[in-house]
Amino acid sequence: MTQTHFDQGDLIGVLTTQPLDRVLDYKAPEGGCFVGAFVEVPLGPRKVVGVVWGKGRGDWDYNKVRSVIRVLDVAPMRDEMRQFLERAADYTLTPMSAMLRLATRAPGLGDPPSMRKVYRLGGDPPARMTDARGKVLAVLRDYGGLSFTLKELAETAGVTSSVVKGLVKTGAVAEEDAPRDTPFPLLDPDYGSKDLTADQQAGAKVLREAVTAGTYGTTLLKGVTGSGKTEVYLEAVAACLSAGRQALVLLPEIALTGEFIDRVEARFGMKPAEWHSGVTATERRRVWRMVGQGQAQLVVGARSALFLPYRQLGLIVVDEEHDTSYKQEDGVLYNARDMAVLRASLNAAQVVLASATPSLESWANVEAGKYARLELTSRFGEAVMPSMAAIDMRSEEVKSGHWVSPTLQGAIRARIEKGEQSLIFLNRRGYAPITLCRACGHQIGCDQCDARMVEHRFLKRLMCHQCGETKPMPTVCPSCEAEDKLSAVGPGVERMGEEVTALFPDARVVVLSSDLYGSARAMKAHIAEIAEGGADIIIGTQLVAKGHNFPKLTLVGVIDADLGLQGSDLRAAERTFQLMRQVAGRAGRAAAPGEALMQTYQPEHPVIRAIIAGDEEQFWAAEAAERKQAGVPPYGRMAGIVLSSPNVQEVFDLGTEMARRSEPLRRIGAQVFGPAPAPIARIRGRHRVRLLVKAEKSAPLQRALADWAAQFKLPTNLRLSIDIDPQSFY
Ligand code: ADP
Ligand code: ZN
């Protein structure tokens, strides 16, 4: 056992969020402190927040060691959280200070709790009763002892705030001061349970029992879109709440949280805590503190919600577990799916990985017996999986600059006649991916990156999808200065909108692309309107593949099923398979049967054939065999190393030296490939060089990588990033 309590003046080690690669020595403050306590310490001229990590090292003159300023009034960091941060740091080769930053992403943690006015039922009803006054009192009575802010109360009652103020004067409503960081309302596990189908019941029972047992375990919950996976895992959440533990549901896309929160409210009677980049700073602080005190039972959020200080975590659900956005691509490079499993294993908690199209990683873990597997086989209600077919583009007549084949046009027309919706899917934002000068052949690129600029006609600008840089559409070629020779090449969703509108002038056509909305809220509202029948033809990017419901949709047309197959990414086939199946799954969710048509120039490609045949197991088995053969994840280990610098010579020089001096890696049998220019060789003005390290599954890769990288001194301005299990290869 390590010592956990320190008396005043004892030497203690404090981990801070400052980028120093060691725990710093301080003296314990008056009153002493515990391991795990959040403290404020002096660092140079500043005061910073840290966590007491253990005994001090004592390699510094005791008299010069400074004292902790104060212990903060927040729940101390629990042992399992400290272990989680350490293990995650080791796995991702991340300094502990960066891990602590992830775990303390709420402003003003150390501040004393601020107060605000709240309102609750007071004494006698007023002598003069009005309709509006009656509404306010009814709300307060309906919600029992709950207190409201002025705004909440007025809004819920549907009156102006002056009505509430008037009631305060009469004494019928009491006004008092309460801490701003209020506990989240209690969720009722039995509030709105649905009658589950036999299939769903069986799944829910297994998950409920696992959660109630209070041990670690991971279950892959597989089922086509609409089979009721969400209903089933909400039962696991209910069991978790009943057991007095906290639950976390991770979603891949903020745009989906609104719809999901509504479902939670319908199921449990109250809203859960929300955690993602769209949450305000004060609300973040409230969530962080309440999660730590066990006064937020359910958190719905983005991947960083894994690093909240749960008091008693019992369940983590990773919805759409295959989604690539679970991999954080800058800062700390972690995969939230894997970290969820790590965190749960340290908390004796359960993990549910839900997906219609699981990642090969999870599929392999089921095969290896590490994860359990639950399957929901049919869609809820009368809905069935759509029928799928390929449209062989080699035998379709399509004019140049157009992409909708006659076969697809016919299918859309039939839907319009029946009053049903069609979705045209193209995973390319903007108007056209290439802007080409027909005089000299020049393609307009980004000045900062080796990437083409994409025309966004809606915004009237060219945009770089790497760095976000935009510029106005030029009228002359930047290279040869020819006038009016620039032309759009290739399709983007905006351009598809033009083509489809021309083909079906009487139909209501909408383009759904995240960059066309000012806010997540605006997008949600528009999607809801479309879902209720506000459009005949929807043109969309990947956004629509992620969980939105369109009950009137019966046709999905995929413009370019070959798009994803071209990359050098080892997961290209898997991604295409998943994406195409998900998009197809949008069709026929209600009673009307759906159809999915995929335009392709290679209908005989094994991936396309597997998608059409709907033969998942065969696809996974074939894909697994291929990866095993190649020794790549999930059957081997990989790390991607990217060196970047404004100085191209320096990155190549260091890359070459790293490849040459790779003894620490060779010692564990790992291979080093490169250096090579990264697929995107320049981003934001920084030249990028890539090395790839491949090792056997059992090799101690992280330690070897750390030893290897430690041999080199980096020139200032050169950045080295190591990505364990890279998901993207750019
Ligand atoms: P998935 O998560 O697998 O896509 P959902 O849980 O979202 O599926 O279910 C799809 C739709 O069917 C939702 O609107 C859901 O409320 C509804 N649904 C699923 N199962 C039931 C049930 N047993 N009773 C009532 N509605 C259900
Ligand atoms: Zn750029």
Side-chain angles (χ1 to χ4, degrees):
M1 257 312 265
T2 51
Q3 185 186 355
T4 58
H5 181 263
F6 302 97
D7 295 321
Q8 179 173 9
D10 283 354
L11 265 191
I12 57 172
V14 173
L15 175 67
T16 72
T17 54
Q18 302 306 303
L20 307 160
D21 52 9
R22 57 166 287 190
V23 169
L24 304 171
D25 278 10
Y26 286 93
K27 287 175 192 154
E30 196 186 328
C33 61
F34 286 89
V35 164
F38 281 85
V39 290
E40 187 174 63
V41 294
L43 189 70
R46 292 182 305 147
K47 295 174 181 173
V48 300
V49 169
V51 173
V52 179
W53 215 252
K55 258 215 269 239
R57 298 216 297 206
D59 52 1
W60 193 250
D61 178 359
Y62 180 84
N63 294 313
K64 288 194 185 141
V65 175
R66 299 163 84 180
S67 190
V68 166
I69 299 168
R70 64 189 178 107
V71 176
L72 303 183
D73 183 23
V74 295
M77 186 181 281
R78 307 178 62 85
D79 273 357
E80 67 263 17
M81 182 69 181
R82 299 195 307 123
Q83 271 180 49
F84 172 57
L85 295 182
E86 279 178 342
R87 296 270 295 271
D90 287 348
Y91 190 86
T92 56
L93 291 170
T94 304
M96 279 304 290
S97 54
M99 297 310 303
L100 185 61
R101 277 200 294 282
L102 262 182
T104 52
R105 272 210 197 140
L109 278 189
D111 300 352
S114 61
M115 307 297 273
R116 63 172 175 181
K117 298 247 179 289
V118 296
Y119 300 81
R120 56 175 187 76
L121 212 52
D124 295 332
R128 194 176 61 84
M129 235 352 205
T130 63
D131 245 18
R133 286 184 164 187
K135 281 188 200 158
V136 173
L137 297 177
V139 165
L140 290 176
R141 258 183 251 117
D142 283 356
Y143 284 87
L146 217 64
S147 13
F148 290 76
T149 63
L150 186 58
K151 186 161 165 266
E152 285 165 355
L153 182 53
E155 269 176 16
T156 315
V159 302
T160 60
S161 49
S162 58
V163 178
V164 178
K165 292 275 188 175
L167 285 166
V168 172
K169 280 212 189 90
T170 72
V173 170
E175 181 188 74
E176 31 191 60
D177 286 317
R180 186 172 288 280
D181 297 335
T182 49
F184 284 84
L186 281 181
L187 305 182
D188 176 358
D190 304 316
Y191 182 81
S193 359
K194 289 203 167 94
D195 292 327
L196 300 184
T197 63
D199 215 19
Q200 293 171 346
Q201 260 177 37
K205 180 162 181 284
V206 173
L207 293 182
R208 275 180 169 277
E209 282 170 4
V211 169
T212 310
T215 53
Y216 160 73
T218 297
T219 305
L220 176 63
L221 175 61
K222 188 177 168 313
V224 293
T225 315
S227 58
K229 294 183 295 297
T230 311
E231 298 297 337
V232 170
Y233 74 63
L234 286 178
E235 293 308 302
V237 171
C240 181
L241 303 184
S242 300
R245 297 175 79 179
Q246 292 163 296
L248 164 64
V249 175
L250 294 178
L251 300 177
E253 174 91 41
I254 305 180
L256 297 176
T257 40
E259 195 175 325
F260 188 78
I261 299 275
D262 292 345
R263 278 184 82 167
V264 168
E265 196 177 5
R267 176 65 184 80
F268 299 115
M270 291 287 167
K271 289 191 166 70
E274 250 183 275
W275 181 269
H276 51 73
S277 58
V279 173
T280 62
T282 33
E283 182 66 4
R284 284 172 88 83
R285 195 181 81 138
R286 173 187 179 210
V287 173
W288 196 94
R289 292 179 80 107
M290 292 306 134
V291 165
Q293 295 172 18
Q295 291 179 310
Q297 294 164 286
L298 171 60
V299 178
V300 174
R303 56 187 176 224
S304 60
L306 272 176
F307 293 88
L308 286 171
Y310 300 91
R311 208 173 113 91
Q312 250 204 329
L313 187 60
L315 171 68
I316 307 175
V317 176
V318 185
D319 201 0
E320 310 282 356
E321 66 91 30
H322 60 275
D323 199 288
T324 51
S325 68
Y326 282 123
K327 180 66 186 279
Q328 166 111 348
E329 295 287 5
D330 46 40
V332 181
L333 307 176
Y334 67 95
N335 186 319
R337 186 215 317 136
D338 302 342
M339 290 301 130
V341 171
L342 172 61
R343 174 119 212 212
S345 70
L346 295 169
N347 276 72
Q350 289 287 315
V351 178
V352 174
L353 305 176
S355 175
T357 52
S359 61
L360 186 62
E361 271 81 2
S362 297
W363 186 87
N365 279 325
V366 169
E367 293 287 293
K370 287 192 208 158
Y371 297 173
R373 170 169 170 166
L374 268 180
E375 186 132 10
L376 300 176
T377 45
S378 59
R379 294 179 129 188
F380 178 72
E382 298 160 74
V384 288
M385 238 352 228
S387 65
M388 296 201 229
I391 296 177
D392 187 345
M393 292 302 278
R394 294 168 304 190
S395 52
E396 294 278 333
E397 261 181 59
V398 183
K399 271 193 298 189
S400 115
H402 292 73
W403 289 271
V404 184
S405 64
T407 304
L408 184 53
Q409 289 174 28
I412 297 172
R413 193 160 292 118
R415 292 318 185 290
I416 295 177
E417 278 159 16
K418 281 195 279 180
E420 295 171 359
Q421 286 180 327
S422 304
L423 165 70
I424 309 275
F425 175 80
L426 177 66
N427 209 13
R428 266 185 175 154
R429 289 180 291 142
Y431 185 81
I434 303 171
T435 301
L436 177 89
C437 171
R438 276 177 288 121
C440 73
H442 176 75
Q443 300 183 0
I444 299 184
C446 175
D447 299 334
Q448 299 298 313
C449 310
D450 278 354
R452 295 189 189 110
M453 296 290 268
V454 177
E455 181 184 354
H456 285 249
R457 204 160 276 192
F458 180 75
L459 302 170
K460 299 193 177 61
R461 293 183 83 78
L462 290 168
M463 186 190 292
C464 170
H465 285 185
Q466 281 317 313
C467 70
E469 186 67 32
T470 69
K471 55 185 174 197
M473 185 74 191
T475 49
V476 300
C477 171
S479 175
C480 74
E481 299 185 355
E483 260 180 70
D484 297 326
K485 289 288 180 194
L486 292 174
S487 68
V489 178
V493 279
E494 293 178 22
R495 195 172 192 182
M496 290 308 308
E498 238 174 55
E499 182 177 343
V500 171
T501 305
L503 284 168
F504 304 100
D506 298 329
R508 293 165 303 160
V509 179
V510 294
V511 176
L512 264 188
S513 177
S514 53
D515 53 346
L516 302 181
Y517 294 93
S519 67
R521 189 183 301 266
M523 183 169 84
K524 191 190 151 197
H526 192 206
I527 288 176
E529 185 193 314
I530 295 166
E532 278 163 25
D536 303 309
I537 305 174
I538 305 159
I539 298 170
T541 59
Q542 188 152 12
L543 187 72
V544 293
K546 291 187 180 180
H548 297 292
N549 278 342
F550 298 101
K552 296 192 163 67
L553 184 76
T554 58
L555 171 70
V556 169
V558 175
I559 292 298
D560 188 352
D562 308 333
L563 198 59
L565 294 173
Q566 295 147 4
S568 55
D569 188 336
L570 72 93
R571 293 182 181 83
E574 178 184 346
R575 297 253 162 86
T576 303
F577 185 79
Q578 289 163 340
L579 190 58
M580 292 300 118
R581 279 191 66 91
Q582 276 162 40
V583 173
R586 295 291 124 212
R589 285 186 60 119
E595 181 180 22
L597 298 173
M598 318 216 162
Q599 300 193 150
T600 172
Y601 283 92
Q602 32 186 342
E604 62 291 319
H605 192 292
V607 175
I608 301 288
R609 291 218 321 237
I611 295 167
I612 304 288
D615 193 342
E616 283 179 273
E617 294 307 319
Q618 201 194 326
F619 173 77
W620 291 124
E623 183 66 14
E626 220 161 274
R627 298 233 202 131
K628 230 176 239 170
Q629 172 76 24
V632 296
Y635 303 100
R637 310 196 54 194
M638 270 173 111
I641 289 90
V642 171
L643 306 174
S644 71
S645 162
N647 182 329
V648 66
Q649 192 61 44
E650 275 180 9
V651 280
F652 272 98
D653 287 351
L654 183 65
T656 310
E657 199 192 341
M658 288 184 78
R660 198 164 46 76
R661 292 171 54 195
S662 61
E663 306 81 41
L665 292 172
R666 271 183 268 130
R667 222 175 289 138
I668 62 159
Q671 294 167 281
V672 182
F673 301 92
I680 298 173
R682 196 168 53 113
I683 297 183
R684 289 193 184 90
R686 300 180 69 88
H687 296 274
R688 307 170 77 241
V689 161
R690 201 169 211 295
L691 295 117
L692 267 182
V693 176
K694 225 175 93 181
E696 271 179 29
K697 183 128 180 134
S698 59
L701 182 60
Q702 277 86 346
R703 191 155 7 105
L705 285 167
D707 292 347
W708 177 50
Q711 303 177 99
F712 309 100
K713 187 164 162 7
L714 307 187
T716 25
N717 233 335
L718 190 147
R719 268 185 242 142
L720 178 150
S721 91
I722 299 182
D723 186 358
I724 307 288
D725 313 327
Q727 288 283 322
S728 65
F729 293 76
Y730 66 89

